[in-house]
Amino acid sequence: MPSSIPSLNPPHRLLLGPGPTPVAQRVYEAMGKPIVGHLDPFFFQINENIRPWLRTVYGTENPFTMVLSGTGSAGMEAAVSNFVHADTKVVVFIAGYFADRIAEMSRRQGATVVRVEKPWGETFSDAEIREAILREKPTMVGYVTAETSTGVWQNGDALCQAAHEVGALVIADCVTSLGTMPINVDKTGIDIAFSCSQKGLSCPPGLSPITVSERAMERLRARKESNRTWYLDFKLLDEYFGGQKRYHHTAPISMFYALHEGLALIMEEGIEERFARHKANHLELIAGLEGLGLKMLVNNPHRLWTLHTPIIPEGKDDMTVRKSLLDNYGIDFAGGFGPLAGKIWRIGLMGEGSKKENIALLLEGFKKALSA
Ligand SMILES: Cc1ncc(COP(=O)(O)O)c(C=O)c1O
């Protein structure tokens, strides 16, 4: 081999940011197993194993629960493109970066988009949500359960109730909540939920698990014109992954193995136990950060268990602190962006990353960096 060809030697980072998150050894090993064809009975069996596990993490009985080949944004684009078109009026509740993306995708589908906005980091009260939905009478409503740009949890109960009262369907972004916090799709009344593989499920990025209610499927079946986004057309995808097993695209087999193993790990742990672990570790990290004198951007009870957003103290520099943790501890986490650039840090404890020893190391690193 010519000496100029470099070998692949990625650094070992402890990924404690907004994602991707640490990947379990068993998941890496699953990805190294022999691939089969994308129409092989074994591949379809992998899918059938995955579906009920996804129903468990989403909290749903929806028959239409499946995995898209693409990242979380593909899930978002699928949710929007299948249900939002020129005749649609969409209300999107926006208090952060990712809700804005739902609005932008809806705009590109030619829909009438009503942006209900608050400053980044705030939540919408039940009354505010109800008022906006009853006033606008949309056909679709979009919101983000776990806003990764701010660390806020947005409750969806009142939103779904009001939406259904006016005959609208609800799209919920569950990218930073799936597999770590209870989403309760059915109980809440969410119609279309999407997520990703690289956060709470602790797999590499590349897949987007979705689930769609029967109510939404009825609306989809009645839709006359085709989804303009061919790759993410649920009707076509159902012909591939559903009964007919008809070729649609060449699914990334090794990623499906990874997701299979990642979800198997969750089933072994138990979903309730997993939620409890994330909550306990979240509380421990908050206590530790507050013990170091840091204040949090988000107040209780709106904090995510997955993503923590301490405010950068006066006189401390975002990048200097992050570099100190990366250089001294190999810990990779993120700063804020948009209106929160230079104002907050974003620290993730998700899936394989949500561990006591990681919290201890992180707090040690922060103590050192803040006192420097
Ligand atoms: C809340 C939220 N929605 C959507 C996305 C987009 O997901 P992806 O980057 O996997 O396409 C992200 C990514 O971080 C996110 O945090």
Side-chain angles (χ1 to χ4, degrees):
M1 187 169 85
S3 59
S4 58
I5 297 179
S7 59
L8 181 65
N9 201 9
H12 282 273
R13 306 278 193 233
L14 178 50
L15 296 171
L16 299 184
T21 57
V23 173
Q25 191 53 33
R26 263 174 60 183
V27 171
Y28 282 130
E29 282 162 16
M31 294 183 79
K33 297 206 171 173
I35 67 162
V36 296
H38 55 289
L39 298 174
D40 193 292
F42 182 78
F43 175 65
F44 289 118
Q45 185 55 51
I46 290 291
N47 263 285
E48 290 316 309
N49 294 351
I50 284 175
R51 281 177 200 258
W53 295 340
L54 284 180
R55 289 188 190 107
T56 301
V57 287
Y58 266 124
T60 184
E61 302 284 326
N62 288 339
F64 196 91
T65 300
M66 60 185 283
V67 183
L68 303 179
S69 306
T71 65
S73 303
M76 188 187 284
E77 193 108 58
V80 171
S81 65
N82 280 282
F83 293 95
V84 175
H85 43 87
D87 301 332
T88 316
K89 182 175 187 185
V90 194
V91 164
V92 188
F93 290 92
I94 305 173
Y97 178 79
F98 290 101
D100 182 74
R101 192 178 284 186
I102 299 178
E104 171 59 9
M105 286 183 181
S106 302
R107 188 189 69 77
R108 289 179 183 217
Q109 294 293 336
T112 304
V113 182
V114 178
R115 301 166 59 97
V116 182
E117 296 193 65
K118 282 193 125 179
W120 282 31
E122 292 192 15
T123 41
F124 293 93
S125 71
D126 290 357
E128 287 165 341
I129 288 170
R130 224 183 135 68
E131 190 278 318
I133 293 176
L134 297 189
R135 170 173 32 92
E136 297 295 339
K137 298 194 178 36
T139 43
M140 295 297 300
V141 178
Y143 82 107
V144 177
T145 60
E147 186 43 86
T148 326
S149 56
T150 62
V152 164
W153 170 262
Q154 176 64 57
N155 188 291
D157 294 316
L159 186 150
C160 292
Q161 199 187 329
H164 293 156
E165 275 175 39
V166 300
L169 298 174
V170 176
I171 296 177
D173 178 325
C174 301
V175 168
T176 300
S177 48
L178 189 69
T180 53
M181 296 181 73
I183 298 171
N184 292 323
V185 162
D186 289 355
K187 207 161 131 244
T188 309
I190 294 166
D191 292 294
I192 305 114
F194 60 89
S195 188
C196 70
S197 48
Q198 77 271 15
K199 298 197 193 223
L201 306 183
S202 264
C203 293
L207 293 180
S208 175
I210 55 116
T211 187
V212 183
S213 71
E214 258 312 293
R215 194 190 297 112
M217 288 309 287
E218 271 169 34
R219 168 116 41 115
L220 188 67
R221 285 183 208 110
R223 180 176 170 176
K224 298 260 173 348
E225 52 137 28
S226 311
N227 181 341
R228 293 188 176 196
T229 309
W230 180 90
Y231 189 65
L232 298 170
D233 184 333
F234 283 157
K235 288 182 187 166
L236 297 180
L237 287 166
D238 195 32
E239 289 177 8
Y240 177 22
F241 292 107
Q244 300 173 52
K245 316 228 178 314
R246 185 184 295 160
Y247 165 70
H248 176 265
H249 66 281
T250 310
I253 310 298
S254 308
M255 271 309 302
F256 276 73
Y257 291 172
L259 186 63
H260 188 279
E261 200 62 18
L263 286 166
L265 281 166
I266 296 180
M267 295 305 115
E268 284 170 22
E269 180 177 6
I271 192 66
E272 294 304 328
E273 289 75 6
R274 191 173 175 93
F275 293 153
R277 166 164 69 87
H278 281 81
K279 185 174 184 186
N281 288 341
H282 152 73
L283 292 174
E284 188 173 321
L285 177 61
I286 297 277
L289 292 172
E290 288 179 342
L292 294 175
L294 293 171
K295 297 210 164 16
M296 306 301 293
L297 174 74
V298 183
N299 290 328
N300 260 333
H302 305 295
R303 290 177 187 155
L304 296 179
W305 302 347
T306 45
L307 193 84
H308 309 79
T309 48
I311 296 170
I312 300 176
E314 261 319 285
K316 296 292 167 195
D317 176 57
D318 174 13
M319 279 315 295
T320 311
V321 171
R322 279 199 274 154
K323 190 170 178 326
S324 165
L325 270 99
L326 189 64
D327 292 349
N328 296 311
Y329 297 87
I331 295 178
D332 184 6
F333 65 103
F337 63 101
L340 296 175
K343 296 191 177 148
I344 57 165
W345 286 301
R346 294 184 302 142
I347 305 169
L349 291 180
M350 296 184 235
E352 288 296 301
S354 178
K355 287 185 176 157
K356 301 255 175 265
E357 60 265 32
N358 292 346
I359 300 173
L361 204 63
L362 188 93
L363 291 174
E364 191 186 309
F366 258 98
K367 196 171 173 186
K368 186 172 170 156
L370 291 175
S371 59

